Amino acid sequence: MAKLLVKLQRYFRRKPVRFFTLLALYLAAGSLVFLHSGFSGEPRVPGSPRGPTGGEGPGLPYLGVMQLSRGFKAAATMPGRARRHGPWFKSASKEPAERGKARDNGGTRSRALRGRSGREKEEDRARYIGCYVDNTRQRTLRGMSFFDYKKMTVFRCQDNCAERGYLYAGLEFGAECYCGHKIQASNASESECNMECKGERSNTCGGINRLSIYRLELAQESARRYGSAIFRGCFRRPDNMSIALPASQLMLNMSVDKCVDFCTEKEYPLSALAGTSCHCGFPTTLFPLHEREDEQLCAQKCPGEEFESCGTADFLLVYQTQVQDNRCMDRRFLPTRAKELVALASFPGAGNTWARHLIELATGFYTGSYYFDGSLYNKGFKGERDHWRSGRTICIKTHESGQKEIESFDSAILLIRNPYKALMAEFNRKYGGHIGFAAHAHWKGKEWPEFVANYAPWWATHTLDWLRYGKKVLVVHFEDLKRDLFVQLQRMVGLLGITACEDRLLCVEGQKDGNFKRSGLRKLEYDPYTPEMRKMISGYIKTVDTALKLRNLSGVPDDYYPR
């Protein structure tokens, strides 16, 4: 055997070209075998995963009923979908027949019906307005625009427009998306907006020089904008106008742009339109922007722009300019060591980072953390680097829910959020960062059902543990904080033992979003929760609701339960 190897070695040493030729053939053969196994095998691609099954939810652990555990794992089946094989021409051969069907007399009608049903599905985030004339000389929607001639969908257009704060989204030619704050054209026949979207055949995306337009009802999720200004609403004229809004100017050719530009130049954060008068100022106790009026009371056309409203002498249309209100931007560490440790406790995804931002603006002091997140430190949370027991921060962020950890704090603000939204927010943070979004592959893969199976029980045990072991707990619902920030922030600051001036709290309302809010509409075009998941989560919601009411607190908001 040894002699044979020596002979081979000498042979290839004398003729290296043959050696390398054989080596190349060997590698090529190996590659072909590998490719063949890849095509002939039966890999399984996750289909629509079934979530963990659950009943009506376990009872309260401190009532001696079933114990919830953060480590709970329900068995979840992952049915796969066999990979489709076969030559490309087999699937392609079906297309002419399908195209033929689309060309029959009922083609237009069927597309219209599909478009209508698709629009009905979009009602939770946008309302279909109608079909409008559009041309290159005078655009119907004059905001931003983008095109995708392969994958355009109704949702994608709406999402991009809402993310930038526009009120309307319009689709044309099946692939073009236009955004705007107002519609500047006349109606067209619905039959003229019957082109299928390039990315979905179940919906229509306008027509030739025709726009299918949607009003983005959830535009308030991101701030409603007019260019760079944020729309705040219609408000009654303050009693002492000259003090409440100190800068003003008469503009006979008034428009929103002119008034906003004037107030920006004067370095005021508020721009208030009153017919032909433009007023500028700050949110103060004289003009707090708490009691909004019906927008129809401000619906008087601007002299300089017929498609805009400019308010009246008695009802002001208010916009927030890009000028920063610096009355609440200063922050520092506590001058003396805190006597008590106050927790800002929440389940992950319940808005803890946003709440910290609000508290820091309202009090002027840094918040701390039970952990260390370098990305948050770099974004301005300087208390992130301090040890949580340092006593230099006003409160400490924590997601812990064990008895020992909870009893380490003297009091707590317990932030609770709708579990359906909290789970999705935490999943987005885990796979997309603090203000990013998880990829669709993660939602469709095994990660999402496993995440729900592990984290949904923890959502319940987190609240139950803090109610049971917390020494002094103030419950704040995330939804109430969004809806009535001023009042809820007053409650939170009160627990922290800080007397925040009212003007500072009003300043916070104008800077409330910061850089820690996911903008735009929900990034999924489908509901990621299966019926089994919803049944399980509904049980946990009932458990938490009962626990809150047993402590004479208001139960969970109605929108926690699925519609």
Side-chain angles (χ1 to χ4, degrees):
M1 186 66 183
K3 288 182 180 180
L4 179 62
L5 291 174
V6 171
K7 286 181 180 180
L8 285 171
Q9 185 180 3
R10 288 176 181 173
Y11 175 78
F12 285 119
R13 191 180 297 168
R14 289 195 298 268
K15 299 180 179 180
V17 175
R18 292 185 181 181
F19 171 72
F20 286 112
T21 302
L22 287 171
L23 181 62
L25 288 171
Y26 173 77
L27 293 174
S31 300
L32 288 172
V33 171
F34 176 77
L35 288 171
H36 175 72
S37 65
F39 281 105
S40 62
E42 290 293 329
R44 301 188 66 85
V45 180
S48 300
R50 290 170 54 192
T53 58
E56 289 302 307
L60 307 183
Y62 48 85
L63 293 181
V65 195
M66 186 181 293
Q67 178 76 27
L68 280 168
S69 168
R70 175 177 169 178
F72 169 81
K73 290 188 178 181
T77 57
M78 293 287 294
R81 183 176 57 203
R83 181 175 176 176
R84 294 196 340 192
H85 305 286
W88 59 270
F89 56 81
K90 283 189 179 178
S91 58
S93 64
K94 296 179 183 178
E95 290 184 5
E98 290 174 359
R99 291 195 190 110
K101 290 177 183 177
R103 291 193 194 101
D104 64 11
N105 294 333
T108 302
R109 182 173 176 275
S110 63
R111 279 198 298 273
L113 288 172
R114 288 200 302 271
R116 193 182 308 153
S117 64
R119 289 194 288 267
E120 287 169 359
K121 293 176 183 176
E122 302 295 324
E123 284 181 356
D124 61 332
R125 53 179 173 257
R127 180 165 57 89
Y128 179 68
I129 298 296
C131 183
Y132 284 79
V133 177
D134 187 52
N135 58 65
T136 54
R137 286 178 295 178
Q138 184 176 6
R139 287 293 178 194
T140 303
L141 297 176
R142 298 183 183 178
M144 63 150 283
S145 62
F146 74 98
F147 319 100
D148 191 332
Y149 291 97
K150 290 184 179 181
K151 299 179 181 178
M152 178 61 75
T153 66
V154 172
F155 178 87
R156 187 177 175 204
C157 179
Q158 292 173 359
D159 187 52
N160 277 273
C161 293
E163 194 171 279
R164 290 157 180 79
Y166 288 100
L167 292 178
Y168 297 98
L171 296 108
E172 187 175 3
F173 289 113
E176 301 178 3
C177 176
Y178 295 89
C179 310
H181 296 290
K182 56 195 176 187
I183 300 172
Q184 305 183 88
S186 57
N187 284 88
S189 170
E190 285 297 316
S191 61
E192 297 178 65
C193 286
N194 64 351
M195 292 185 71
E196 290 182 339
C197 303
K198 297 297 183 181
E200 57 178 347
R201 291 191 173 185
S202 62
N203 223 328
T204 54
C205 286
I208 300 173
N209 293 327
R210 296 293 184 269
L211 277 178
S212 294
I213 297 183
Y214 296 81
R215 180 180 174 87
L216 304 174
E217 300 294 348
L218 293 188
Q220 64 268 21
E221 288 295 324
S222 56
R224 277 176 56 185
R225 293 179 181 272
Y226 188 93
S228 61
I230 300 173
F231 177 74
R232 296 298 299 271
C234 178
F235 298 91
R236 189 178 295 275
R237 178 190 178 96
D239 293 333
N240 197 328
M241 192 73 149
S242 59
I243 297 177
L245 299 168
S248 63
Q249 181 168 313
L250 183 67
M251 296 181 178
L252 298 179
N253 198 26
M254 170 74 86
S255 71
V256 175
D257 282 339
K258 288 184 176 67
C259 187
V260 168
D261 288 345
F262 171 72
C263 294
T264 301
E265 223 174 90
K266 295 290 183 180
E267 297 187 352
Y268 284 102
L270 290 185
S271 171
L273 292 83
T276 55
S277 298
C278 175
H279 303 273
C280 315
F282 293 91
T284 63
T285 52
L286 294 174
F287 195 48
L289 304 184
H290 284 159
E291 297 179 4
R292 293 175 63 156
E293 303 289 346
D294 187 341
E295 286 183 34
Q296 292 302 313
L297 296 172
C298 292
Q300 178 175 297
K301 289 183 180 180
C302 293
E305 179 55 76
E306 62 173 321
F307 293 104
E308 296 175 356
S309 296
C310 277
T312 68
D314 296 321
F315 294 95
L316 313 182
L317 207 58
V318 179
Y319 290 84
Q320 185 173 320
T321 71
Q322 289 296 295
V323 177
Q324 184 171 274
D325 190 344
N326 291 319
R327 294 175 299 167
C328 59
M329 299 307 292
D330 59 301
R331 289 170 290 171
R332 64 189 189 279
F333 288 103
L334 291 172
T336 57
R337 184 182 173 88
K339 296 179 181 178
E340 294 186 351
L341 292 176
V342 182
L344 179 61
S346 74
F347 173 78
N352 200 304
T353 303
W354 179 54
R356 289 177 67 185
H357 165 74
L358 297 175
I359 289 171
E360 290 193 359
L361 294 184
T363 64
F365 296 113
Y366 288 120
T367 59
S369 176
Y370 196 80
Y371 321 97
F372 171 70
D373 189 327
S375 65
L376 290 181
Y377 178 83
N378 292 333
K379 286 181 179 290
F381 287 101
K382 300 305 179 186
E384 194 76 20
R385 181 172 285 180
D386 269 38
H387 189 275
W388 66 279
R389 285 186 177 275
S390 69
R392 298 207 305 160
T393 53
I394 193 70
C395 64
I396 299 99
K397 163 190 173 177
T398 180
H399 298 312
E400 301 302 309
S401 57
Q403 179 178 356
K404 182 180 178 182
E405 289 80 3
I406 292 172
E407 291 178 345
S408 301
F409 294 95
D410 299 294
S411 58
I413 298 170
L414 177 59
L415 196 61
I416 304 175
R417 187 182 186 184
N418 184 326
Y420 293 100
K421 294 184 178 179
L423 288 169
M424 292 179 69
E426 175 59 10
F427 191 74
N428 277 320
R429 186 208 62 79
K430 186 175 181 181
Y431 291 100
H434 281 284
I435 56 173
F437 293 87
H440 283 276
H442 293 129
W443 294 99
K444 287 292 189 180
K446 64 180 181 180
E447 294 95 338
W448 171 242
E450 289 180 355
F451 178 87
V452 173
N454 289 324
Y455 277 68
W458 182 20
W459 175 85
T461 57
H462 185 278
T463 299
L464 299 176
D465 285 352
W466 278 95
L467 291 176
R468 182 179 183 184
Y469 302 117
K471 298 172 185 175
K472 182 182 178 184
V473 180
L474 172 68
V475 174
V476 176
H477 291 285
F478 175 86
E479 293 74 19
D480 292 339
L481 187 60
K482 282 183 66 177
R483 185 167 43 248
D484 196 359
L485 185 142
F486 188 85
V487 171
Q488 297 300 324
L489 201 51
Q490 274 185 321
R491 294 177 63 220
M492 295 163 71
V493 170
L495 181 80
L496 297 172
I498 300 293
T499 304
C501 66
E502 197 167 341
D503 281 354
R504 188 174 184 109
L505 291 175
L506 290 168
C507 167
V508 176
E509 281 191 303
Q511 315 289 331
K512 62 181 179 181
D513 285 347
N515 298 316
F516 312 102
K517 180 179 181 293
R518 290 182 178 85
S519 60
L521 298 169
R522 180 167 58 86
K523 294 293 179 179
L524 292 179
E525 300 183 33
Y526 56 88
D527 182 1
Y529 292 101
T530 63
E532 292 84 359
M533 290 178 183
R534 288 187 173 276
K535 186 177 181 182
M536 176 185 67
I537 294 171
S538 291
Y540 296 136
I541 291 173
K542 292 175 183 176
T543 300
V544 170
D545 184 64
T546 303
L548 291 169
K549 290 175 179 176
L550 283 173
R551 278 161 175 71
N552 296 320
L553 301 170
S554 59
V556 300
D558 292 337
D559 60 4
Y560 278 30
Y561 293 96
R563 297 172 186 171

